[in-house]
Amino acid sequence: MNEQKLKNIPEHVALIMDGNGRWAKQRGLPRTLGHKAGVEALKEIVRYSSNIGIRILTVYAFSTENWARPAEEVDYLINTLLVEYMKKELNELHKNNVRIKILGDIDSLPDLTKKQIIEAVETTKNNMGLKFNIALNYGGRKEIIDAIRKITNMVLNGMIYEKDIDEELFSRYLYTEGDKDPDLIIRTSGEMRISNFLIWQSAYSELYFSKKLWPDFRKEDLDEAINEYARRERRFGSV
Ligand code: FPP
């Protein structure tokens, strides 16, 4: 489908890129090559999202729970794939006015990974095109606890009153810092869970599940998800 045919483009799309391991297994390849293929799929989706006018794309790259995976796989994701991605893609992303932001705790990541990430974030911080949020070492519950800590500190320091705390204020202290909540959340590979991803922000998101494994997810699949989204009627609790 071409770009003009899509109507009602969601402003904020979030992606749970699941199924890299199974994709590799089906081909008798190591899981790491599944992740590598996953990055190729992601490149196409980022480019396309920017072209069709999605404002914010948030992807789940690595969760706080993913540290429990085999050391070799964690090492490849954190020390190889991410670093290479940031290095190789930065120019193109910057040229396309994409603004990269990290959701999650990067302080504890290895120095080289951190350095590459900070460079990408700094280089693109004034760009006004697609906002590309990469959830990295991210956990939704941790995000909420972090927000509570920041807000509690402000109350204790007399910067705000307890009565000032409302949903709007709370949202500003999440990693998404008051970004519009995701309109559409897509999870691939047939699993139907949120898995601690954007659990505050997804309160009214439309959920879309694709049977495709992430490395097989193409722009046509995103079109299909967007068309399905456009057909749904969002009521936000009203009638
Ligand atoms: C889930 O598949 C995928 C991940 C845990 C990692 C997703 C990461 C990428 C696509 C690449 C990294 C991102 C950037 C921005 C460079 P799985 O391994 O859980 O698959 P399985 O359920 O089939 O085992």
Side-chain angles (χ1 to χ4, degrees):
M1 181 174 300
N2 69 36
E3 292 156 28
Q4 285 77 34
K5 284 204 190 133
L6 291 167
K7 35 181 202 283
N8 200 358
I9 301 272
E11 267 184 60
H12 184 174
V13 175
L15 294 171
I16 304 179
M17 308 178 287
D18 196 9
N20 297 342
R22 275 163 284 168
W23 184 92
K25 192 167 178 208
Q26 284 174 359
R27 287 162 179 75
L29 299 169
R31 294 178 55 85
T32 48
L33 290 188
H35 296 309
K36 191 172 175 182
V39 169
E40 292 308 312
L42 179 60
K43 285 184 196 167
E44 174 177 315
I45 295 299
V46 174
R47 203 173 300 128
Y48 188 61
S49 298
S50 163
N51 287 343
I52 63 176
I54 288 171
R55 301 300 308 153
I56 308 174
L57 181 72
T58 301
V59 303
Y60 208 0
F62 195 85
S63 76
T64 46
E65 288 75 32
N66 287 152
W67 295 106
R69 293 181 173 222
E72 186 200 1
E73 183 177 343
V74 171
D75 176 65
Y76 181 76
L77 280 167
I78 298 290
N79 291 318
T80 304
L81 210 49
L82 253 166
V83 177
E84 276 180 5
Y85 177 81
M86 294 291 175
K87 230 193 239 165
K88 288 191 193 147
E89 295 304 302
L90 180 56
N91 275 342
E92 198 202 321
L93 292 169
H94 189 38
K95 221 168 49 203
N96 284 296
N97 209 14
V98 173
R99 176 173 161 203
I100 300 170
K101 201 185 150 198
I102 303 295
L103 313 182
D105 177 14
I106 63 162
D107 279 346
S108 55
L109 297 179
D111 284 346
L112 182 62
T113 307
K114 212 161 41 183
K115 178 175 164 281
Q116 214 64 56
I117 289 171
I118 292 170
E119 188 186 332
V121 172
E122 279 297 310
T123 306
T124 61
K125 71 178 178 201
N126 294 321
N127 289 346
M128 299 299 280
L130 176 75
K131 187 168 183 205
F132 181 30
N133 291 327
I134 305 174
L136 194 59
N137 196 13
Y138 172 90
R141 289 182 177 174
K142 183 171 187 304
E143 177 182 33
I144 290 172
I145 303 263
D146 283 353
I148 293 172
R149 287 214 175 97
K150 289 178 213 157
I151 294 168
T152 307
N153 269 319
M154 290 197 301
V155 174
L156 291 175
N157 291 322
M159 293 154 74
I160 57 166
Y161 296 108
E162 184 249 42
K163 67 173 172 49
D164 298 330
I165 303 171
D166 59 12
E167 293 181 14
E168 190 274 324
L169 179 134
F170 193 81
S171 300
R172 280 191 273 129
Y173 291 89
L174 294 169
Y175 305 148
T176 40
E177 292 178 271
D179 276 352
K180 182 180 195 287
D181 288 338
D183 300 293
L184 172 64
I185 299 181
I186 301 171
R187 182 172 190 148
T188 57
S189 91
E191 306 289 345
M192 298 198 203
R193 288 186 297 281
I194 279 290
S195 299
N196 205 17
F197 186 48
L198 305 176
I199 51 179
W200 167 280
Q201 298 90 333
S202 62
Y204 289 101
S205 304
E206 293 294 331
L207 305 180
Y208 180 88
F209 299 100
S210 164
K211 289 220 160 59
K212 289 245 175 118
L213 302 175
W214 174 253
D216 292 327
F217 196 83
R218 292 289 169 277
K219 57 186 196 303
E220 291 77 15
D221 300 302
L222 181 57
D223 282 345
E224 221 174 287
I226 291 173
N227 285 330
E228 164 73 26
Y229 165 83
R231 283 194 293 272
R232 294 187 195 171
E233 191 189 346
R234 301 183 77 198
R235 287 194 296 270
F236 298 93
S238 69
V239 289

